[in-house]
C-alpha cells in the first residue's frame, strides 16, 4: 500500500506504508510534510521507516524532524514497537513520555491506538 491520506476518527491522517522509503535525513521528513499537504493534519510513520539515528537522541535527528512537523503545524505519530530503543535510552523514554502527554508528537503502538487517541482529543 502506498502512503495515503485516510480519515481516522474524524481526522485526516497520512498513513505511511511500512515498506515505503526510509526516513534517514531531514529532507526525507520534509517529503512526508509535503505529502501531508494533500489534506492531512497528522502523519503516521511506522517506526521501522525511521533510521536508528532518530532514536539515538544525541544525533539531534529526532529533534530536527519533530521541529519540522511542529513548524508546519502537523502532528507526527510514530507507530510501532520501539521497545529496543527505549531499553537503551532513559532520555528517549523521557522524550516519549513527555511527547505523549502533549499534542504535537505521539509514540503509539498501532493505528487502533491512534484512533483511540484522536477520538479522545476530538
Amino acid at each position: 500500500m502506498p502512503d495515503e491520506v485516510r480519515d481516522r476518527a474524524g481526522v485526516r491522517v497520512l498513513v505511511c506504508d511500512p515498506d515505503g522509503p526510509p526516513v534517514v535525513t531531514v529532507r526525507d521528513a520534509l517529503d512526508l510534510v509535503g505529502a501531508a499537504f494533500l489534506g492531512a493534519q497528522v502523519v503516521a510513520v511506522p517506526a521501522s521507516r525511521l533510521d536508528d539515528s532518530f532514536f539515538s537522541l544525541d544525533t539531534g535527528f529526532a529533534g530536527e524532524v519533530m521541529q519540522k512537523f511542529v513548524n508546519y503545524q502537523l502532528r507526527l505519530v510514530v507507530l510501532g514497537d520501539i521497545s529496543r530503543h527505549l531499553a537503551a535510552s532513559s532520555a528517549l523514554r523521557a522524550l516519549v513520555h513527555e511527547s505523549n502527554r502533549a499534542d504535537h508528537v505521539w509514540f503509539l503502538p498501532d493505528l487502533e491506538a491512534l484512533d483511540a487517541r484522536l477520538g479522545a482529543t476530538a
Side-chain angles (χ1 to χ4, degrees):
M1 118 186 142
D3 296 352
E4 63 182 7
V5 177
R6 299 185 200 161
D7 184 67
R8 309 253 349 158
V11 177
R12 301 293 290 165
V13 178
L14 175 64
V15 178
C16 298
D17 181 353
D19 295 322
V23 179
V24 179
T25 66
V26 173
R27 178 74 226 157
D28 298 332
L30 286 172
D31 288 345
L32 292 176
V33 167
F37 275 51
L38 296 173
Q41 301 159 276
V42 176
V43 177
V45 180
S48 60
R49 280 188 54 181
L50 296 170
D51 188 75
D52 281 349
S53 63
F54 181 89
F55 301 102
S56 179
L57 298 184
D58 59 338
T59 67
F61 183 50
E64 287 183 85
V65 169
M66 292 187 301
Q67 189 61 51
K68 293 297 182 197
F69 280 86
V70 169
N71 289 349
Y72 287 98
Q73 299 177 356
L74 291 168
R75 181 176 292 143
L76 172 64
V77 179
V78 176
L79 294 175
D81 181 12
I82 61 168
S83 57
R84 74 178 174 92
H85 300 291
L86 294 173
S89 171
S90 61
L92 180 62
R93 286 192 301 276
L95 173 73
V96 168
H97 177 75
E98 290 303 316
S99 294
N100 283 343
R101 293 177 58 190
D103 276 339
H104 298 294
V105 179
W106 295 339
F107 294 82
L108 300 172
D110 51 37
L111 286 170
E112 291 74 25
L114 175 58
D115 290 344
R117 185 80 187 256
L118 291 172
T121 61

